[in-house]
Amino acid sequence: MKKVLITGAAGFLGSHLCDRFITEGFKVIGMDNLITGSLRNIEHLFSHENFVFYHHDVSKFVHVPGELHYILHFASPASPIDYLQMPIQTMKVGSLGTHNLLGLAKAKNARILVASTSEVYGDPEVHPQNEEYWGNVNPIGPRGVYDEAKRFQEALTMAYHNVHGLETRIVRIFNTYGPRMRTNDGRALPAFLSQAINGEPLTVFGDGSQTRSFCYVDDLVEGIYRLLMSDYHLPVNIGNPDEITIKEFAEEIINLVEDKELEIIYKDLPKDDPKKRRPDTTKAKQILGWEAKVDRKEGLRRTYEYFKKVLK
Ligand code: UDP
């Protein structure tokens, strides 16, 4: 039986990955320090014989007894307000945490996949963003702590691959949504859905003309699983290329909750907020035979059901 360590296991993406690997018949070790994750996301796994949970901060030395075949490094604060509130933890988990896990992968002869991000492209001057683009990042801006930690993570992962011949995978994750997002994590979808359900105005930042491309979590998990099992070690974008302005996105959510009284109010655009973002997913298609399947209408409907339950 293959054993996998998933860091950030109690988070949005980490918990869905735990589910997927349990379903695939793996022994899963979930690790999380719970600064942004919640045990509620993995509570249902605690009774499963193939699941164990370690409450641990991966920025400190990581020990896993016995053999280990795969590592997925998904621990990190990941929403702009989280990394603004926890800038040092964000930098530590992307740098020291990644170093510890690469060392663990080397010691166990395990394959490691690290979660990178579309934020490595910064406020992009190339559209859509392909993996060859080097990015446009402000290192000392508010997002720098996340963006540069993830860029460092990619560099260190490539160094371990090149120097030690470690089996490494790098996924660049674009905006993803679905059940188990924190309702108050400050990101556009949780903010808009929570506001709409509570009958409050939706807060669009700037004039709402900035774009994003939102991927449903099940699609993302499928892409990550395929990448881990592939033999491709260079970065691969995983995301849904269906691009929308933030204003239109807010309007879609107003239509979804069918409350005609809801208004949109405009607030200041945060510093260094990327003006547009859409993944070029040619590589994922060619190398993994992967593309996003769940359209926004269906994905939003499923996410709305979850938010209604949590906010009731
Ligand atoms: N945004 C917004 N209102 C909110 C939260 C976010 O208009 O209440 C905007 C934000 O400025 C950005 C986009 O929605 O342009 C997506 O933001 P999010 O925090 O979800 O993720 P990002 O892609 O910026 O990392």
Side-chain angles (χ1 to χ4, degrees):
M1 189 175 238
K2 299 285 186 201
K3 200 152 110 188
V4 57
L5 168 67
I6 300 176
T7 76
F12 166 46
L13 299 182
S15 65
H16 283 283
L17 286 164
C18 289
D19 285 344
R20 175 65 186 260
F21 281 85
I22 286 287
T23 305
E24 297 284 346
F26 286 72
K27 263 197 182 313
V28 176
I29 302 171
M31 192 173 279
D32 207 298
N33 67 353
L34 301 176
I35 61 169
T36 58
S38 164
L39 287 179
R40 278 179 70 179
N41 291 335
I42 46 171
E43 240 167 23
H44 59 287
L45 293 174
F46 275 72
S47 57
H48 199 289
E49 55 178 358
N50 291 335
F51 183 77
V52 285
F53 178 72
Y54 294 171
H55 185 190
H56 182 69
D57 177 354
V58 297
S59 304
K60 309 214 168 77
F61 183 83
V62 180
H63 177 69
V64 171
E67 54 176 9
L68 188 62
H69 304 94
Y70 298 100
I71 298 172
L72 287 101
H73 183 24
F74 277 71
S76 179
S79 85
I81 59 164
D82 284 345
Y83 47 78
L84 280 174
Q85 277 164 11
M86 293 174 264
I88 296 171
Q89 288 101 320
T90 303
M91 294 226 71
K92 283 172 77 178
V93 73
S95 55
L96 305 177
T98 301
H99 188 217
N100 289 333
L101 293 164
L102 288 164
L104 179 67
K106 180 164 161 267
K108 302 282 184 183
N109 203 14
R111 182 181 294 181
I112 178 167
L113 179 148
V114 296
S116 189
T117 166
S118 53
E119 283 285 325
V120 299
Y121 303 123
D123 188 4
E125 290 155 327
V126 165
H127 195 71
Q129 294 78 55
N130 60 43
E131 290 87 347
E132 276 66 49
Y133 178 48
W134 292 356
N136 177 37
V137 171
N138 174 4
I140 57 162
R143 290 173 179 255
V145 292
Y146 184 67
D147 301 8
E148 297 295 5
K150 292 292 189 180
R151 289 169 67 97
F152 175 88
Q153 175 185 67
E154 289 197 7
L156 193 61
T157 301
M158 288 305 296
Y160 267 72
H161 174 81
N162 292 327
V163 174
H164 297 302
L166 198 68
E167 285 203 47
T168 55
R169 306 287 179 267
I170 299 172
V171 58
R172 289 188 181 149
I173 300 170
F174 283 66
N175 293 67
T176 303
Y177 69 100
R180 301 189 192 151
M181 285 187 104
R182 243 167 56 232
T183 55
N184 62 350
D185 86 354
R187 282 190 271 203
L189 179 132
F192 293 164
L193 258 184
S194 305
Q195 290 158 347
I197 290 169
N198 292 328
E200 295 161 7
L202 278 66
T203 52
V204 166
F205 299 162
D207 63 5
S209 64
Q210 69 273 33
T211 69
R212 294 294 185 273
S213 309
F214 295 94
C215 183
Y216 188 66
V217 63
D218 290 1
D219 280 335
L220 186 90
V221 166
E222 178 63 29
I224 288 167
Y225 190 82
R226 288 189 191 201
L227 177 61
L228 180 68
M229 296 308 164
S230 78
D231 58 6
Y232 192 74
H233 73 279
L234 296 173
V236 178
N237 290 339
I238 299 285
N240 188 324
D242 186 2
E243 186 179 2
I244 184 173
T245 68
I246 292 300
K247 180 168 183 285
E248 285 164 341
F249 189 53
E251 287 162 355
E252 276 189 5
I253 290 180
I254 291 176
N255 288 334
L256 177 74
V257 304
E258 295 175 335
D259 179 350
K260 300 229 160 32
E261 309 282 286
L262 288 171
E263 298 172 69
I264 291 179
I265 55 170
Y266 293 88
K267 300 212 161 182
D268 288 346
L269 190 67
K271 186 169 165 17
D272 296 343
D273 199 282
K275 284 181 271 310
K276 50 191 173 185
R277 183 184 287 156
R278 168 156 59 101
D280 179 333
T281 52
T282 310
K283 248 190 194 160
K285 254 182 239 151
Q286 282 170 353
I287 295 165
L288 312 175
W290 177 90
E291 60 186 329
K293 293 222 159 65
V294 182
D295 67 16
R296 218 173 30 249
K297 192 159 189 233
E298 173 58 18
L300 284 180
R301 195 191 57 73
R302 294 186 206 170
T303 311
Y304 180 37
E305 292 309 312
Y306 171 82
F307 271 67
K308 272 195 291 197
K309 253 189 271 157
V310 172
L311 290 171
K312 75 168 183 282

